């Protein structure tokens, strides 16, 4: 009878081994699913990080450019004032024409970077774009004179225009 017991023991051992193997396979499947989930999340996190870094790089580039252009505005203003007050007898001088060409090239370069003059003269007062220095007789809220040009960088006000506006009274 002992041989029968060995067979039964082998069967019991075989069933226990199969149960253990099935449990281990189930555990491994769960671990694989967990690892797949972690890999998917890591991939999504990496993609999000890449996109965030690209946005930050663009912002840094934009802000660095903004600071540089702000520093150039007084130079641009000085060129414009110099040409507004240029004596008639010097306007055709070769040296003056050379300086004018330099100013035009500078303006072309900064325009390509996104710097734009704001057209303030004759427009309705916009506190985001205009800094009122004086009020005078004229149509209320209309820009009558521009003392200092305003500029925008890619649609954002870099420097408001300094202006004189109408106060709504009629001039004499």
């Amino acid at each position: 009878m002992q041989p029968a017991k060995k067979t039964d023991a082998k069967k019991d051992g075989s069933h226990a081994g199969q149960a253990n193997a099935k449990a281990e396979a189930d555990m491994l499947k769960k671990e694989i699913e967990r690892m797949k989930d972690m890999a998917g999340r890591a991939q999504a996190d990496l993609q999000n990080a890449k996109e965030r870094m690209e946005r930050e790089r663009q912002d840094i580039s934009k802000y660095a450019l903004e600071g540089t252009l702000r520093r150039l505005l007084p130079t641009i203003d000085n060129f414009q004032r110099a040409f507004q007050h240029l004596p008639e007898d010097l306007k055709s001088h070769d040296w003056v024409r050379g300086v004018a060409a330099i100013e035009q090239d500078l303006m072309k370069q900064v325009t390509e970077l996104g710097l734009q003059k704001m057209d303030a003269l004759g427009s309705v007062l916009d506190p985001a774009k205009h800094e009122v220095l004086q009020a005078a007789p004229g149509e209320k809220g209309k820009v009558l004179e521009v003392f200092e040009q305003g500029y925008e960088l890619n649609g954002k006000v870099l420097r408001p225009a300094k202006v004189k506006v109408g106060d709504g009274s009629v001039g004499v």
Side-chain angles (χ1 to χ4, degrees):
M1 291 217 156
Q2 279 191 340
K5 284 184 180 180
K6 281 186 180 179
T7 306
D8 287 342
K10 283 182 183 178
K11 283 183 183 177
D12 288 343
S14 173
H15 286 295
Q18 287 177 349
N20 283 343
K22 184 171 177 9
E24 190 174 332
D26 288 344
M27 184 180 74
L28 289 173
K29 284 180 183 175
K30 286 180 184 176
E31 185 67 13
I32 288 170
E33 286 304 313
R34 190 176 72 81
M35 292 291 181
K36 282 182 181 178
D37 184 55
M38 283 177 52
R41 289 175 191 252
Q43 194 171 22
D45 287 345
L46 178 61
Q47 184 62 35
N48 290 339
K50 283 180 181 179
E51 290 171 6
R52 185 176 55 251
M53 287 172 47
E54 178 60 22
R55 280 192 309 272
E56 289 171 358
R57 185 194 64 77
Q58 289 173 350
D59 287 347
I60 288 169
S61 173
K62 180 180 173 183
Y63 292 129
L65 181 61
E66 184 177 324
T68 301
L69 290 174
R70 279 185 196 275
R71 292 186 66 181
L72 285 174
L73 290 179
T75 302
I76 292 169
D77 292 339
N78 288 335
F79 268 120
Q80 291 171 354
R81 276 192 286 276
F83 289 118
Q84 286 173 353
H85 300 289
L86 186 65
E88 244 350 277
D89 60 326
L90 292 178
K91 287 186 179 181
S92 62
H93 193 279
D94 287 342
W95 186 86
V96 173
R97 287 198 313 239
V99 172
I102 293 169
E103 187 265 346
Q104 289 170 355
D105 185 52
L106 173 64
M107 291 309 297
K108 178 182 175 242
Q109 298 297 324
V110 295
T111 299
E112 288 174 1
L113 293 172
L115 185 70
Q116 295 292 318
K117 284 184 184 181
M118 291 189 286
D119 293 324
L121 189 61
S123 67
V124 176
L125 177 66
D126 180 347
K129 294 183 175 187
H130 306 124
E131 181 180 333
V132 178
L133 298 183
Q134 289 182 355
E139 186 179 331
K140 185 164 180 66
K142 187 173 182 180
V143 176
L144 304 174
E145 185 178 345
V146 177
F147 299 116
E148 187 175 73
Q149 186 66 49
Y151 290 92
E152 294 178 317
L153 177 61
N154 298 319
K156 177 184 175 189
V157 175
L158 193 60
R159 180 179 76 188
K162 294 181 179 166
V163 300
K164 179 194 297 186
V165 295
D167 62 8
S169 65
V170 178
V172 178

